[in-house]
Amino acid sequence: KAGVTQTPRYLIKTRGQQVTLSCSPISGHRSVSWYQQTPGQGLQFLFEYFSETQRNKGNFPGRFSGRQFSNSRSEMNVSTLELGDSALYLCASTMTGGKNNSPLHFGNGTRLTVT
Amino acid sequence: KNQVEQSPQSLIILEGKNCTLQCNYTVSPFSNLRWYKQDTGRGPVSLTIMTFSENTKSNGRYTATLDADTKQSSLHITASQLSDSASYICVVSLMDSNYQLIWGAGTKLIIKP
């Protein structure tokens, strides 16, 4: 079974631009969540989608948005990029979300650099 | 405030030695506690998930313990190998309507030959 796939792997953008990151979950997984990880920081939760609906949201500004498609693939968008948005963005999938004891399966992330 | 604190922040040990990483949490209501291993530049990988009633759980050379009374967990690594060099992250799941996850900042473990 293929793992969680995130594209692109690396991205360099300029301040003020916008960016879209993509995540394909493991087949059969309906929950997709997004995390931001900056050097020396723990994972910061962005949002979770389940069956095309945003189920949970972290404390990030409205510049960060996401969506999920009917095939469970998800995208996240960051508008008006700031230098502080430079980070590793991780996507994780699971069958039903945190409601059971199933582990999160992570992709290897998209490394975003904002200059 | 729901928090997960890990110690030490970083640890260096020699290959073949054992080590124990600590996790203290102030999360309520508690659903489960998870340990993840994250190699540099990669996504975290699940090691164990423990519910309230489980005191210990093993995954190969990794053994996690949970004391729900004192709200402490530990991850013990036996006979360390160079491939164990990674960050180890403790995560606690809340038993709220959304079962949100509270992430620790991780312990960075370096195994030296």
Side-chain angles (χ1 to χ4, degrees), chain A residues 76-93:
Chain A
M76 69 162 279
N77 184 278
V78 188
S79 62
T80 320
L81 283 166
E82 300 177 359
L83 296 178
D85 296 334
S86 295
L88 179 67
Y89 289 88
L90 292 161
C91 162
S93 76

Side-chain angles (χ1 to χ4, degrees), chain A residues 35-44 60 83-90 111-112, chain B residues 38 105:
Chain A
Y35 293 85
Q36 181 196 67
Q37 187 175 38
T38 50
Q41 298 292 314
L43 273 73
Q44 302 295 316
F60 277 81
L83 296 178
D85 296 334
S86 295
L88 179 67
Y89 289 88
L90 292 161
R111 172 75 62 187
L112 172 64
Chain B
Q38 185 177 21

Side-chain angles (χ1 to χ4, degrees), chain A residues 9 35 37 40-43 45 48 55-56 88 90 98-109 111, chain B residues 9 31-32 34 36 38 41-46 49 51 89 93-94 97-101 103-106:
Chain A
R9 189 80 171 90
Y35 293 85
Q37 187 175 38
Q41 298 292 314
L43 273 73
F45 173 72
E48 182 209 359
R55 189 161 66 174
N56 279 312
L88 179 67
L90 292 161
K99 203 168 185 180
N100 58 28
N101 295 331
S102 294
L104 295 173
H105 297 267
F106 283 87
N108 284 324
R111 172 75 62 187
Chain B
Q9 196 170 9
S31 176
N32 59 65
R34 308 159 181 234
Y36 283 84
Q38 185 177 21
R42 317 272 291 189
V45 173
S46 178
I49 298 178
T51 60
I89 309 171
S93 175
L94 274 168
S97 58
N98 293 321
Y99 287 83
Q100 64 174 311
L101 299 174
W103 292 76

Side-chain angles (χ1 to χ4, degrees), chain A:
Chain A
K1 199 182 244 186
V4 177
T5 304
Q6 292 188 246
T7 56
R9 189 80 171 90
Y10 300 94
L11 205 48
I12 300 175
K13 289 286 187 178
T14 304
R15 199 168 32 176
Q17 289 186 312
Q18 75 158 16
V19 67
T20 299
L21 311 182
S22 179
C23 172
S24 292
I26 290 173
S27 178
H29 285 189
R30 295 166 63 192
S31 167
V32 173
S33 49
W34 289 89
Y35 293 85
Q36 181 196 67
Q37 187 175 38
T38 50
Q41 298 292 314
L43 273 73
Q44 302 295 316
F45 173 72
L46 281 155
F47 27 66
E48 182 209 359
Y49 286 87
F50 181 81
S51 293
E52 302 178 66
T53 301
Q54 188 180 87
R55 189 161 66 174
N56 279 312
K57 190 177 190 308
N59 296 322
F60 277 81
R63 300 186 297 108
F64 292 82
S65 63
R67 59 177 175 169
Q68 187 180 31
F69 302 96
S70 59
N71 62 358
S72 293
R73 191 177 71 84
S74 177
E75 289 181 346
M76 69 162 279
N77 184 278
V78 188
S79 62
T80 320
L81 283 166
E82 300 177 359
L83 296 178
D85 296 334
S86 295
L88 179 67
Y89 289 88
L90 292 161
C91 162
S93 76
T94 186
M95 198 79 76
T96 59
K99 203 168 185 180
N100 58 28
N101 295 331
S102 294
L104 295 173
H105 297 267
F106 283 87
N108 284 324
T110 294
R111 172 75 62 187
L112 172 64
T113 302
V114 182
T115 62

Side-chain angles (χ1 to χ4, degrees), chain B residues 11-70:
Chain B
L11 183 62
I12 302 174
I13 64 171
L14 291 175
E15 185 181 11
K17 297 295 186 183
N18 303 336
C19 68
T20 300
L21 313 181
Q22 299 291 342
C23 173
N24 295 336
Y25 61 93
T26 55
V27 173
S28 182
F30 173 92
S31 176
N32 59 65
L33 185 143
R34 308 159 181 234
W35 283 94
Y36 283 84
K37 176 187 178 188
Q38 185 177 21
D39 293 318
T40 302
R42 317 272 291 189
V45 173
S46 178
L47 294 175
T48 65
I49 298 178
M50 287 185 293
T51 60
F52 184 87
S53 59
E54 294 175 299
N55 299 119
T56 185
K57 204 160 196 177
S58 292
N59 179 354
R61 294 179 297 100
Y62 300 101
T63 299
T65 65
L66 173 64
D67 185 334
D69 291 331
T70 61

